[in-house]
Amino acid sequence: MSSRQRCLALALALSIASSAAAGADTRPLAQRLEQIREVNRFVPERAMPMLLAIEQEGRAAPLELRIEFLNQLSGGYDGLGKLDEALAVAEELVALGRRHGHNGAMAKGLLRKAYMAYRHAELLDSHQLTWEAERLANLTDDVELKVRATIAAGDAFTEQGNFPKALERLQSAAALARKHGDPTQIVMSLNALIELYGQMREYDKGFETLAEAVAAAEKAHSPGRMSTLKHAEYSLAAATGQYQRGLKALLDSLAIERSIGADSMVAYTLVNLSDCYLKLRDYVNAAAYAEQSIVAARALNDAGLEATGRLNLGQAYLATGRLVDGKRHIEAGMSAYENLGDQPELQSVLVEYGQALERAGDLPGALRAYHRERKISNELFERRRQRAVLDLQEKYETEKKQRQIELLRSENEVNSLQQRIWWLLVAVFALASVVVGLLYRKVRHTNAQLHEKNKELKQQSVRDPLTGLYNRRHFLDYMRTTPQAPVQAGPDQCGALFLLDVDHFKHINDTFGHAAGDAVLTAISNSLGEILRETDMIVRWGGEEFLAFLPSIPRSGLDEVAQRILSGISAVAVVHGEHRLAVNVSIGFAPFPLSCGGLVLPWERAVNMVDMALYMAKSHGRNRAYGVQGFADAGQVCMEDIEQNLEGAWRAGKVKMSVVLGNQASAVQAA
């Protein structure tokens, strides 16, 4: 059957179902639910009126049909974005299953609840619900339910980054679907497997699986399933740089979706088309499809989709020189992400926005985007750190309770032994004393272990779990409780602040994975420990940033330290799997305390000045260090102006700076 014939088949199903909803439909309820099911999967806006028309009959139907009706009703509300209504029906489905001891009903309801938790970004709850649904589904004879639950479990492991378990689950789902012979189930399982292969960067396997899935979709006569596979093909093609193939897949998908009236799918395809044209640098078409996607998203009341469309439109405008319009749309898109609470996506957008502004020559705007991205990065980093500390505390409390139980058990044993001793001859009293002494030593040993664990927990609160360096909290506490002026051996001595940022760190994460990024951060922290002295404080400042505080150093030696750091880190080769990664850093530095005339800047403003110097190093080519050495006559400068635009003040002669180049130049420039 051709694509056109498949589209006509679904259109016929829509026509029959609509006609049935308009007049009296005498067909059995099971037949009508089966007719609505495929429509509900891809065109929920058409299916929901049909479901609501038979709601009274569906709720009064025999148990199996009632379960199927409630499952479809929850799915329809979900497809329309009515998450509260979808969750309420899912809860009703779970309660129905518990009341009748029906594992299938409970599994379907829990799967629906898991989807709702995922929509609200509650991933931990979503995964727990999914795995419980999988357990219950495997207790039934419902093959389709087993396939769906196994796919959902595989997706949950994928979201955790546990690719081996995800692969095992999804391959099991595909094997079960093949054994059952239902082409729709085969397409579902293979589509999830294609997405996993894409994340694992095993693109050849992804394309092989895609070919099998397309053949199954042909047999299923489902244009909606074929459309989802076109999106899978686009993802693989874009990941492998085959943008023309990806563009054709999206245009084919758009034609299918419009022919069956799948408005929500059309909206997402329009967004992907605008993104694809951006990659192809066809900014006219990118803007056109972005504008269409915004209109479609508004019709669906989908704020996240509209935000993505605005970001694409803004990038297209920036690329064509329409800076004001581009900024307006990008800022509107980012504001929507802020309202939705999607900080990881907002951080990624800010990186791209800053780079686009830098290319357009708007350095102040790029600097603002950079600082916003750094702030979000630090907030996310702090949340992960707090989560790690809470996990450690939870583990410690569990171990502490276990030790208390063991201690109580030991004490009970002592009491039992003492009762026996009273009934023994006086001759065994010495033996009882020995036993008590041993138990007392055991208690003392346990208390000593508890003391050590408390010390370990305190140490963890001021150390970064990945690198073992001091964390930002420790540095802030140190600066608040330590006098501003460092200990000086003479007039030629000073303290110093060095702020480092790993160059192209996002590219490393995106290309080789977060495990490679962690290996890079660990290698850099070890290298800094070798380059700097034991008396120097090295801090993991946030994400990929490090701060070094040197309490005492010759004033003439700051550039030399910067050169040592640049050269030392560039010489480190990070081995990750089969790859050897070479990394560089950009640095901003300044003496500390930093003063202008008789005014000594507070340490917070000194750190901000170093941060601005770091940004200059990033924007002037990376792999270099920019150092603030001092200021012109205090009567001729305004610190507030310098803090607003350090580069402009430098070029105007109000700030004395030095530039230290990395390996490519290996020289120190002064200005």
Side-chain angles (χ1 to χ4, degrees), residues 9 35 161 322 335 356 389 615:
Q35 188 75 59
R322 296 174 61 179
S335 177
V389 171
Y615 179 75

Side-chain angles (χ1 to χ4, degrees), residues 543-580:
E544 64 269 23
E545 286 186 331
F546 298 83
L547 179 95
F549 171 56
L550 284 60
S552 181
I553 183 176
R555 288 186 180 275
S556 60
L558 270 68
D559 289 344
E560 180 185 350
V561 173
Q563 184 68 69
R564 287 209 315 269
I565 295 174
L566 289 171
S567 301
I569 292 178
S570 296
V572 175
V574 181
V575 178
H576 179 74
E578 299 178 357
H579 305 283
R580 290 177 62 85

Side-chain angles (χ1 to χ4, degrees), residues 2-250:
S2 67
S3 298
R4 178 177 176 80
Q5 289 172 321
R6 287 194 302 274
C7 295
L8 290 174
L10 183 55
L12 180 60
L14 286 167
S15 175
I16 294 173
S18 299
S19 299
D25 192 343
T26 59
R27 293 177 301 159
L29 180 61
Q31 186 177 350
R32 280 176 281 162
L33 285 173
E34 182 65 28
Q35 188 75 59
I36 296 171
R37 185 173 186 174
E38 187 74 2
V39 180
N40 195 22
R41 173 66 179 81
F42 299 105
V43 198
E45 58 269 25
R46 299 281 297 278
M48 276 303 295
M50 306 173 201
L51 288 169
L52 294 176
I54 61 173
E55 183 172 12
Q56 183 176 358
E57 184 181 359
R59 291 183 179 278
L63 182 60
E64 294 296 336
L65 286 177
R66 199 186 329 165
I67 291 170
E68 176 59 21
F69 170 77
L70 292 175
N71 189 39
Q72 286 203 38
L73 186 63
S74 178
Y77 280 131
D78 184 10
L80 293 176
K82 298 182 177 181
L83 303 186
D84 292 339
E85 292 87 340
L87 181 59
V89 177
E91 294 280 14
E92 185 180 350
L93 190 54
V94 172
L96 179 65
R98 287 175 178 160
R99 189 163 61 249
H100 292 276
H102 196 293
N103 291 326
M106 287 189 287
K108 290 179 180 180
L110 290 175
L111 275 180
R112 289 294 175 192
K113 289 182 65 177
Y115 300 153
M116 298 306 104
Y118 178 83
R119 302 284 192 275
H120 289 101
E122 299 168 352
L123 293 185
L124 182 60
D125 291 342
S126 175
H127 298 163
Q128 295 299 330
L129 290 166
T130 297
W131 292 325
E132 177 61 15
E134 181 193 26
R135 185 187 70 80
L136 293 170
N138 287 330
L139 299 176
T140 73
D141 296 327
D142 189 335
V143 176
E144 181 186 14
L145 177 59
K146 289 181 179 180
V147 171
R148 288 181 180 274
T150 306
I151 292 172
D155 289 340
F157 282 120
T158 300
E159 290 156 9
Q160 284 190 333
N162 190 342
F163 290 160
K165 282 193 175 182
L167 184 61
E168 181 269 326
R169 285 293 202 284
L170 295 182
Q171 287 178 336
S172 296
L176 181 60
R178 293 188 188 103
K179 181 179 179 181
H180 189 236
D182 188 318
T184 298
Q185 296 172 18
I186 293 173
V187 174
M188 287 165 44
S189 57
L190 293 182
N191 194 28
L193 197 55
I194 292 167
E195 183 177 349
L196 175 61
Y197 281 138
Q199 293 194 42
M200 295 171 64
R201 294 183 173 83
E202 296 188 11
Y203 303 117
D204 291 341
K205 291 183 180 179
F207 282 116
E208 291 175 8
T209 307
L210 175 65
E212 181 185 355
V214 170
E218 295 278 355
K219 295 179 182 178
H221 307 315
S222 171
R225 303 286 176 190
M226 186 63 73
S227 176
T228 61
L229 292 179
K230 292 293 182 183
H231 281 272
E233 181 181 0
Y234 165 68
S235 296
L236 290 174
T240 53
Q242 303 178 60
Y243 296 122
Q244 289 295 341
R245 177 175 179 175
L247 178 62
K248 183 180 183 305
L250 288 177

Side-chain angles (χ1 to χ4, degrees), residues 624-639:
R624 62 194 62 208
Y626 273 60
V628 177
Q629 299 290 352
F631 305 92
D633 184 6
Q636 300 178 1
V637 299
C638 174
M639 288 305 302

Side-chain angles (χ1 to χ4, degrees), residues 499-504 520-521 524 528 531 544-546 562 564-570 582-588 614 617-618 621-625 660-663:
L499 187 60
L500 296 71
D501 186 280
V502 183
D503 293 336
H504 305 295
V520 167
L521 296 176
I524 289 176
L528 287 173
I531 295 169
E544 64 269 23
E545 286 186 331
F546 298 83
R564 287 209 315 269
I565 295 174
L566 289 171
S567 301
I569 292 178
S570 296
V583 294
N584 297 313
V585 296
S586 297
I587 305 173
L614 167 62
K618 301 288 281 189
R622 298 180 174 87
N623 189 21
R624 62 194 62 208
V660 182
L661 302 181
N663 288 340

Side-chain angles (χ1 to χ4, degrees), residues 256-335:
I256 295 172
E257 292 154 5
R258 281 177 168 165
S259 69
I260 63 176
D263 294 339
S264 58
M265 297 177 71
V266 166
Y268 281 93
T269 303
L270 291 171
V271 167
N272 284 336
L273 275 166
S274 67
D275 187 61
C276 184
Y277 277 117
L278 282 175
K279 291 181 173 66
L280 290 169
R281 299 184 180 180
D282 183 345
Y283 301 117
V284 174
N285 276 318
Y289 280 106
E291 289 169 348
Q292 293 181 49
S293 71
I294 293 171
V295 174
R298 285 178 177 170
L300 296 172
N301 196 27
D302 191 327
L305 190 63
E306 181 180 350
T308 306
R310 286 192 176 278
L311 292 170
N312 287 345
L313 183 59
Q315 288 198 45
Y317 283 164
L318 285 180
T320 55
R322 296 174 61 179
L323 295 183
V324 175
D325 292 336
K327 286 183 178 180
R328 176 168 56 84
H329 283 288
I330 289 178
E331 291 290 345
M334 291 193 297
S335 177

